[in-house]
Amino acid sequence: MIHLQNVTLTFPDGDNRITAVDDVSLRGDNGTVTGITGPSGSGKSSLLAVAATLIRPDSGGVLIGDGGAAIDAAQLTKREAAALRREQIGIVFQQSNLLPALTAREQVQVMGRLGGTGRARRARIDARADELLDAVGLSEHAGKRPHQLSGGQRQRVAIARGLVHEPQVLLIDEPTSALDQERGAEIMQLIARLTRERDTATLLVTHDLIHRDLFDDLVTIVDGRIVQPDTASPGASPAVGGRGEAAIA
Ligand code: ADP
Ligand code: MG
């Protein structure tokens, strides 16, 4: 589980500071996809960077884990945060950020080996890398380098790489923005399936609201703040629909 509690993040902006994330609270449970949407510049990537422990917020908590065992990642040192990322957090960015010289299999293996390189662990990671490449439909392309793969296939490698260390939290930023609609739909379905199979708490930033049926929850962010859905409309589920979507239409 990941629980963002009253997260506020500012950046320096000339003599002032700009508030990128403004008192945002949201919770992602294991085995669920929480969609995060909103206009460009509204703070979605900043929020994900805080969730990923890549940026420490000005204030607020980033609880990772369940109940009493949860850790507040916002309180960790850089070194502790890096260790937490290697164990508990998978990250998939907008661009797949693959290393040009490595094959698909090696991209996934290398990420798994960051957590240690004992021989037994290595064998385990390599087996898991192959299993994940199979799960994302790339077994036959495991020996290919990024330039030999399509955009959708590269994104699949990035997803496998994000899952190789069996993270509890999976954070994905606009995974379909460089893909056509059909390829984008496949990636969204893949993320939803893997979230259930691997029981990750997945936060997914996206503009593609045509896929919202795949999300368990949807929050809309405008100017760094969560916009409350219009719960007054009949049949509206608590977190989906209403004003939030209208705001980005
Ligand atoms: P989104 O992902 O929704 O498009 P971002 O989180 O990238 O939005 O940006 C939110 C706001 O924070 C924007 O005004 C952006 O210019 C600003 N911002 C983002 N990252 C930085 C940074 N590293 N330094 C200064 N300002 C930033
Ligand atoms: Mg962004």
Side-chain angles (χ1 to χ4, degrees):
M1 188 197 78
I2 180 162
H3 193 174
L4 304 175
Q5 290 179 319
N6 304 104
V7 168
T8 293
L9 174 70
T10 67
F11 290 112
D13 180 34
D15 291 339
N16 297 313
R17 296 190 74 83
I18 174 170
T19 302
V21 179
D22 191 357
D23 197 28
V24 166
S25 297
L26 71 86
R27 204 182 85 184
D29 288 318
N30 289 72
T32 69
V33 179
T34 301
I36 300 173
T37 193
S40 180
S42 59
K44 305 180 299 294
S45 294
S46 300
L47 183 66
L48 227 51
V50 170
T53 76
L54 294 169
I55 307 180
R56 192 200 263 253
D58 296 45
S59 59
V62 179
L63 300 185
I64 291 178
D66 293 313
I71 289 175
D72 185 357
Q75 301 300 326
L76 300 179
T77 65
K78 281 204 161 129
R79 180 190 287 259
E80 290 167 338
L84 182 74
R85 281 198 297 280
R86 285 197 299 270
E87 289 172 10
Q88 296 288 359
I89 301 174
I91 307 173
V92 180
F93 292 109
Q94 197 161 352
Q95 258 65 43
S96 50
N97 292 319
L98 301 180
L99 299 165
L102 300 189
T103 66
R105 180 182 284 117
E106 288 163 345
Q107 314 270 353
V108 181
Q109 290 173 339
V110 160
M111 191 57 102
R113 285 176 191 164
L114 288 179
T117 53
R119 201 195 301 176
R121 181 187 160 90
R122 203 166 162 141
R124 210 166 54 236
I125 289 289
D126 289 357
R128 201 180 303 139
D130 285 341
E131 186 258 322
L132 272 163
L133 286 167
D134 188 35
V136 301
L138 283 184
S139 293
E140 318 216 315
H141 303 283
K144 292 188 178 168
R145 295 187 166 76
H147 74 274
Q148 299 168 301
L149 299 170
S150 70
Q153 289 171 334
R154 286 200 287 266
Q155 222 27 310
R156 286 168 190 272
V157 176
I159 291 167
R161 182 181 61 180
L163 286 168
V164 69
H165 53 305
E166 300 187 303
Q168 170 160 197
V169 174
L170 183 61
L171 304 170
I172 310 185
D173 197 351
E174 309 219 31
T176 63
S177 56
L179 305 180
D180 64 46
Q181 208 169 81
E182 195 181 332
R183 245 41 78 193
E186 287 170 5
I187 290 292
M188 288 295 193
Q189 284 157 14
L190 176 66
I191 290 166
R193 173 167 67 77
L194 290 172
T195 294
R196 316 262 183 270
E197 286 176 5
R198 318 266 153 170
D199 201 34
T200 56
T202 300
L203 304 187
L204 173 63
V205 169
T206 182
H207 280 108
D208 284 343
L209 287 182
I210 44 171
H211 307 299
R212 68 164 174 254
D213 287 352
L214 295 170
F215 308 153
D216 299 276
D217 249 325
L218 179 67
V219 300
T220 302
I221 298 195
V222 177
D223 289 337
R225 297 190 74 97
I226 289 188
V227 180
Q228 290 308 321
D230 183 3
T231 44
S233 62
S237 80
V240 180
R243 229 169 32 225
E245 285 165 39
I248 70 143

